[in-house]
C-alpha cells in the first residue's frame, strides 16, 4: 500500500492507484468461496473470513513478522507466514491463500 502525505486534511492516505487492496480482496474472495464449498484448507488460523482480505494485503506488502516470499513459476509469487503456517500465492490480479497440510515443507515445494 502506498502512503500519501495528507496535504488537504481529508484523512485519505491510500493511493487510489494501489492495486494491492484489490488483489488481496480477489485472493480472499477465492479462498472464502472455496471454504464455503467445503474445502477445509482455504483458511488461516485466527483470521475470520471477513478479515482475510486485510491479512492477505499485509502479506502482499511484507508486513507480517518473519514472512518469507519467493518467486514461483509462471510469474507467481508465494508468501509464507511462519506464525500462522499459511501460504498466499499471488498470480497477477488473483491467487489463493491456504494452510498447507505439511506447512513450510509444502511452501518450499511450490513451483
Amino acid at each position: 500500500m502506498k502512503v500519501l502525505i495528507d496535504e488537504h486534511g481529508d484523512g485519505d492516505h491510500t493511493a487510489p492507484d494501489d492495486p494491492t487492496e484489490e488483489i488481496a480482496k480477489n485472493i480472499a474472495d477465492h479462498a472464502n468461496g472455496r471454504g464455503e464449498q467445503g474445502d477445509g484448507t482455504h483458511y488461516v488460523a485466527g483470521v475470520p473470513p471477513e478479515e482475510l482480505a486485510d491479512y492477505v494485503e499485509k502479506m502482499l506488502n511484507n508486513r507480517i513478522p518473519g514472512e518469507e516470499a519467493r518467486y514461483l513459476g509462471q510469474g507467481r509469487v508465494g508468501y509464507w507466514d511462519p506464525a500462522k503456517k499459511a501460504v498466499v500465492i499471488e498470480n497477477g490480479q488473483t491467487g489463493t491463500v491456504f494452510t498447507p497440510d505439511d506447512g513450510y515443507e509444502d511452501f518450499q515445494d511450490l513451483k
Side-chain angles (χ1 to χ4, degrees), residues 41 43-45 55-56 58-72 76-90 96-110:
T41 63
Y43 73 94
V44 177
Y55 170 79
V56 171
K58 287 178 184 174
M59 288 280 282
L60 298 178
N61 286 318
N62 301 309
R63 294 186 313 192
I64 301 291
E67 174 184 342
E68 184 177 327
R70 65 187 189 86
Y71 290 100
L72 307 173
R76 298 171 303 140
V77 180
Y79 302 85
W80 168 252
D81 178 350
K84 296 195 179 294
K85 300 185 181 344
V87 171
V88 171
I89 298 176
E90 180 183 6
T96 193
V97 57
F98 61 98
T99 302
D101 292 334
D102 292 324
Y104 187 70
E105 185 177 318
D106 284 350
F107 173 71
Q108 289 178 310
D109 289 342
L110 293 172

Side-chain angles (χ1 to χ4, degrees), residues 27-46:
I27 291 171
D29 286 349
H30 165 78
N32 287 334
R34 293 288 298 265
E36 289 171 4
Q37 295 172 1
D39 186 332
T41 63
H42 284 72
Y43 73 94
V44 177

